[in-house]
Amino acid sequence: MTLSGAGSLSRALTRSLLVGLTLLWLAGVLGSGIVLKRLIDQNSDAELQESAAILMSLIRYTDDLLITAAVLGETKSRPESELPHERFIYQVRDASGRVLLHSHTASPDLLGVPLREGFIDAGDWRVVTLADHANNRFLQLADPLAERRDALVTSLLWLTLPLGALLAFAAFIVFRASRSLVRQVQGTAIAVSRQDPQALGLLPLDGVVTEMRPAVEATNRLLARLAAALEAERSFTYNSAHEIRTPIAGALAQAQLLASMAEGSALKEQADALAGALSRLARLAERLLALARAEGAQPLADDWVDLANVVRLTVDEFERNPRLRGWRIVAEASPVRVRADLDAVGLAVRNLVENALIHGTGGAMVRLVCKRVGNGAMLAVIDAGPGAPGVEVSSLIKRFARGSGAVGSGAGLGLSIVDTLARRMGATLVLVSPAEGQTAGFEARLVWGAAAAPDEGRRSAKAPGEHGVREKGRPETERGRIDI
Amino acid sequence: MRILLVEDDPTLGSAVRDYLTRESYAVDLAGHLAAARACLPGDYSVVVLDLGLPDGDGLALLPMLRKHDAPPAVLILTARDRLSDRIRGLDAGADDYLVKPFDLPELAARLRALVRRRAGRHSPRIEQGALSIDPVSREVRLAGNRVELTAQEYALVVEFAEHPRQVLSRRQLENAIYTLDDGALSNVVEVYVSRLRRKFGRNSIRTVRGFGYQWGVTDAVGAEADE
């Protein structure tokens, strides 16, 4: 059975089974009809022949059939209604074909029947011819074919009539059975559909029907391989980050040590240049590692993350940096939980703050705001710098893109990294310039379409079915704003 | 001030050690967890701790440090930059968390901030009577007059200033100026105390027999000054 196109498996199965059952039944009826017809013909022929033999024995002892016919002909004067029903008709003919005697309802069809012993169909009649060679007489007895047909049709009708009831009953049974089977399949399908794409857990094998078990087991093997591949990728990214950072840190530290030791000597300038170059290399490597991590395939929406916690930790991290002593980094955080990945949110916010520190010169203040917005949540990093001209906002997420007014030392990767992370977390990066409610400044906003209820997410770190996924529309430039 | 630096990368470790030594810290460098354990207990003010060590996770050292009566401040210096790593490190008891690569001046500034916080000071400057120390420029003034000091002398003065009115043992002062590798001379503290007295005044440091030295006493109190 081939199921083409979409539709209910149960309905298709029922339909196919019913069609098959009907065809099979009709074939059975047809076969029965053929057999029945043969039996009816045989029995009727035997009966006809037996009747003809009896009649022949009577006729054989009648000398003058013409006189008999005349006597019998008197009955014609009787009204038709008084005549008994005659199932058979007969005629007695001599060798020349002359009719010597016939039943009063003899059909003209019989006149053309040849004088040859045996059966023959003539018009609506089945005719048997018996010969009395001694008296040179031929008896032809006919039985109406319609009777045979009626018997056959009636029999076939009685064979066919139960088909409707049978089909209704079969439809009920088959539909019920198929529903039960399909429910098993649906159970597996629902288990697959409820599978958290971010969690990549294995499908449950409990309650899976035997026929579906190989498919589920194969799917689980694939999921396990996928999870292993993702874990390998995560480990590689993590370990390679460690392996790259440490030697860069060593080189940078040696260069800065050299610069400090060369204080007052001719080598100081070269040492400072070396340290500066290594610092830039370190920053670029840092961004590239972050980009590699952002573009990985690991799930990034499999946990509840308190945005306020991330904001506070990020502010604390930057506040400890002695180089930022002149800056004010302010947290305005209301507790709100979203489905995301703690490290990914942390990486995104850190990049946004670094971006604000690089480009937000002039204001010396960076605000980190997070709050619930409707059913969703937002986390914004707002600087008080000159912002970005409206036409450039949309291009800022491109890799290695830097605003024309950029004065800092950014690599042009920060917003691209954040955008990639946001997409993978089911969030949207919104860039606004000038910052909302300000005449200048730049605002980078991470927006989640769905946030946890105030007490949700505390109960379960991995509540299934909520990923905060929202549709992403086409970029729309409006007042220097673009939804990426 | 004595620092235990736990770092397995020799290039980075030696650079940090040398830089901090030039900043007048006494730095012991341990290349792995076992070596760090062997250094403890020690009179360290700060432990600079790498996490990815050849023989284990650096965080394993923190429970051991917490057993001390006066546990040192811990600054984690690691390549692990994830927010969850940072949370884990701070939750485990670290006081600060710095991700590699980093600037040495930033590391030094964070160490100063750590020590300052431990001492309950809000200003980076150390003020102790007429004595004023700027840890950033390492400028030391007495009653407004600049006093030129060697690295060891500076380390001793800072150690005294960080512990006002406390009697510091000879060992404590040795720890402030020498590392395990230096093989300090037996009378090195006396030599430097003598030099400091010449620069800050005869009675600037009082000898408390059987215990050690105390900073900031007057001539009248310092009648037992050691000569």
Side-chain angles (χ1 to χ4, degrees), chain B residues 10-220:
Chain B
T11 308
L12 178 61
S14 63
V16 173
R17 181 195 57 203
D18 294 350
Y19 185 85
L20 293 179
T21 303
R22 288 175 58 81
E23 292 282 310
S24 301
Y25 296 108
V27 183
D28 292 330
L29 175 60
H32 45 84
L33 211 51
R37 285 198 179 103
C39 290
L40 297 170
D43 295 325
Y44 295 105
S45 299
V46 181
V47 174
V48 178
L49 184 62
D50 185 16
L51 296 184
L53 296 167
D55 53 347
D57 193 321
L59 289 179
L61 207 62
L62 293 183
M64 192 174 173
L65 293 173
R66 277 199 295 268
K67 288 177 185 166
H68 285 219
D69 293 334
V74 176
L75 185 148
I76 290 177
L77 189 63
T78 179
R80 300 177 188 172
D81 71 329
R82 297 187 308 188
L83 193 57
S84 54
D85 290 324
R86 182 181 170 81
I87 292 171
R88 195 162 58 245
L90 295 175
D91 282 353
D95 299 274
D96 201 355
Y97 195 96
L98 185 58
V99 177
K100 299 172 187 174
F102 57 92
D103 287 332
L104 286 175
E106 180 182 348
L107 172 65
R110 284 181 183 245
L111 290 175
R112 284 194 296 271
L114 272 183
V115 173
R116 196 171 66 242
R117 278 203 294 274
R118 284 274 160 138
R121 286 188 286 106
H122 298 295
S123 166
R125 290 187 76 86
I126 304 172
E127 305 281 352
Q128 181 62 42
L131 180 68
S132 172
I133 303 170
D134 184 347
V136 179
S137 63
R138 291 194 292 162
E139 186 182 83
V140 177
R141 289 179 182 274
L142 182 67
N145 299 316
R146 185 168 178 164
V147 182
E148 296 295 334
L149 299 173
T150 66
Q152 281 81 3
E153 289 166 356
Y154 173 83
L156 269 190
V157 170
V158 170
E159 192 70 16
F160 277 123
E162 294 279 7
H163 302 89
R165 290 180 295 282
Q166 285 184 27
V167 178
L168 304 181
S169 67
R170 179 193 290 182
R171 179 176 172 74
Q172 199 171 348
L173 293 173
E174 279 174 359
N175 281 337
I177 54 177
Y178 281 101
T179 69
L180 295 174
D181 302 330
D182 286 336
L185 298 171
S186 60
N187 65 340
V188 67
V189 171
E190 285 81 356
V191 171
Y192 281 110
V193 165
S194 175
R195 287 183 186 176
L196 288 178
R197 279 177 176 147
R198 278 202 290 274
K199 293 183 178 179
F200 288 93
R202 182 172 169 274
N203 295 319
S204 57
I205 300 171
R206 182 172 75 108
T207 302
V208 182
R209 290 197 188 282
F211 292 99
Y213 299 90
Q214 187 182 25
W215 176 270
V217 291
T218 63
D219 283 345

Side-chain angles (χ1 to χ4, degrees), chain A residues 396-482:
Chain A
L396 289 177
I397 59 151
K398 292 177 186 166
R399 286 176 197 173
F400 303 105
R402 302 180 66 204
S404 60
V407 292
S409 54
L413 287 171
L415 290 178
S416 174
I417 291 167
V418 178
D419 178 48
T420 307
L421 288 169
R423 285 171 188 274
R424 293 187 52 213
M425 288 189 290
T428 308
L429 174 63
V430 180
L431 303 178
V432 184
S433 179
E436 200 156 283
Q438 298 178 192
T439 53
F442 188 82
E443 179 174 347
R445 210 182 286 162
L446 288 168
V447 182
W448 280 264
D455 61 340
E456 195 179 3
R458 291 180 195 274
R459 296 190 302 266
S460 163
K462 291 189 178 181
E466 278 200 41
H467 311 294
V469 178
R470 56 172 290 175
E471 292 293 321
K472 298 179 177 63
R474 275 184 69 178
E476 170 198 2
T477 306
E478 178 189 340
R479 191 176 160 266
R481 163 190 174 136
I482 184 164

Side-chain angles (χ1 to χ4, degrees), chain A residues 18-98:
Chain A
L18 288 184
V19 169
L21 196 60
T22 303
L23 291 175
L24 191 64
W25 186 271
L26 290 178
V29 169
L30 184 66
S32 301
I34 293 169
V35 173
L36 266 175
K37 184 174 184 309
R38 192 171 302 157
L39 288 173
I40 288 172
D41 283 346
Q42 281 176 359
N43 289 337
S44 298
D45 285 353
E47 190 183 346
L48 188 62
Q49 190 160 26
E50 192 177 340
S51 300
I54 294 169
L55 193 56
M56 177 60 95
S57 65
L58 293 173
I59 291 169
R60 189 171 292 147
Y61 299 107
T62 304
D63 293 331
D64 193 344
L65 281 175
L66 289 174
I67 295 170
T68 304
V71 172
L72 288 173
E74 290 175 3
T75 60
K76 287 181 181 174
S77 61
R78 284 189 291 182
E80 195 73 24
S81 60
E82 292 179 16
L83 293 173
H85 170 71
E86 288 184 331
R87 182 183 165 191
F88 299 110
I89 59 173
Y90 66 90
Q91 64 182 8
V92 180
R93 298 165 69 188
D94 59 15
S96 64
R98 186 168 55 127

Side-chain angles (χ1 to χ4, degrees), chain A residues 234 238 241-243 245-254 256-257 260-263 279 282-283 286 293 309-310 313-314 316-318 320-323 325 342-343 345-347 350, chain B residues 7-12 14-16 18-19 22 50 52 78-88 90 95-97 99-106 109-110 114 116-117 124 136:
Chain A
R234 190 196 66 77
Y238 192 59
H242 180 268
E243 294 306 316
R245 277 200 184 95
T246 301
I248 290 177
L252 179 61
Q254 290 287 357
Q256 288 178 340
L257 174 65
S260 74
M261 291 169 73
E263 200 70 52
S279 278
R283 277 197 296 275
E286 190 64 30
R293 197 182 304 167
N309 199 27
V310 176
L313 281 164
T314 309
D316 175 70
E317 180 183 347
F318 281 94
R320 285 172 187 268
N321 190 334
R323 287 178 303 180
R325 205 155 277 155
L342 175 67
D343 295 326
V345 179
L347 183 59
R350 193 196 302 160
Chain B
E7 170 59 57
D8 63 321
D9 186 82
T11 308
L12 178 61
S14 63
V16 173
D18 294 350
Y19 185 85
R22 288 175 58 81
D50 185 16
T78 179
R80 300 177 188 172
D81 71 329
R82 297 187 308 188
L83 193 57
S84 54
D85 290 324
R86 182 181 170 81
I87 292 171
R88 195 162 58 245
L90 295 175
D95 299 274
D96 201 355
Y97 195 96
V99 177
K100 299 172 187 174
F102 57 92
D103 287 332
L104 286 175
E106 180 182 348
R110 284 181 183 245
L114 272 183
R116 196 171 66 242
R117 278 203 294 274
V136 179

Side-chain angles (χ1 to χ4, degrees), chain A residues 197-375:
Chain A
Q198 304 287 345
L200 283 180
L202 299 184
L203 300 173
L205 280 167
D206 297 338
V208 174
V209 290
T210 311
E211 290 80 357
M212 286 296 294
R213 193 169 276 264
V216 175
E217 287 172 345
T219 307
N220 277 346
R221 282 196 294 275
L222 283 174
L223 285 171
R225 279 190 65 186
L226 184 59
L230 291 179
E231 177 56 25
E233 181 198 282
R234 190 196 66 77
S235 300
F236 178 77
T237 309
Y238 192 59
N239 293 332
S240 58
H242 180 268
E243 294 306 316
I244 290 171
R245 277 200 184 95
T246 301
I248 290 177
L252 179 61
Q254 290 287 357
Q256 288 178 340
L257 174 65
L258 185 64
S260 74
M261 291 169 73
E263 200 70 52
S265 81
L267 289 174
K268 171 69 175 160
E269 195 177 331
Q270 284 80 1
D272 282 341
L274 175 62
L278 284 169
S279 278
R280 287 192 295 279
L281 172 67
R283 277 197 296 275
L284 182 60
E286 190 64 30
R287 290 297 169 100
L288 290 173
L289 287 170
L291 187 62
R293 197 182 304 167
E295 290 184 336
Q298 300 89 26
L300 291 186
D302 61 347
D303 212 348
W304 288 107
V305 176
D306 184 353
L307 297 181
N309 199 27
V310 176
V311 164
R312 280 192 290 269
L313 281 164
T314 309
V315 168
D316 175 70
E317 180 183 347
F318 281 94
E319 272 185 338
R320 285 172 187 268
N321 190 334
R323 287 178 303 180
L324 303 176
R325 205 155 277 155
W327 286 82
R328 281 183 65 210
I329 302 173
V330 183
E332 299 169 17
S334 306
V336 56
R337 288 175 170 73
V338 295
R339 293 290 283 176
D341 177 85
L342 175 67
D343 295 326
V345 179
L347 183 59
V349 177
R350 193 196 302 160
N351 271 280
L352 289 179
V353 174
E354 284 174 357
N355 194 62
L357 292 172
I358 291 169
H359 301 290
T361 53
M365 176 171 170
V366 177
R367 287 166 57 220
L368 275 72
V369 181
C370 75
K371 59 185 177 185
R372 177 178 290 276
V373 181
N375 292 326

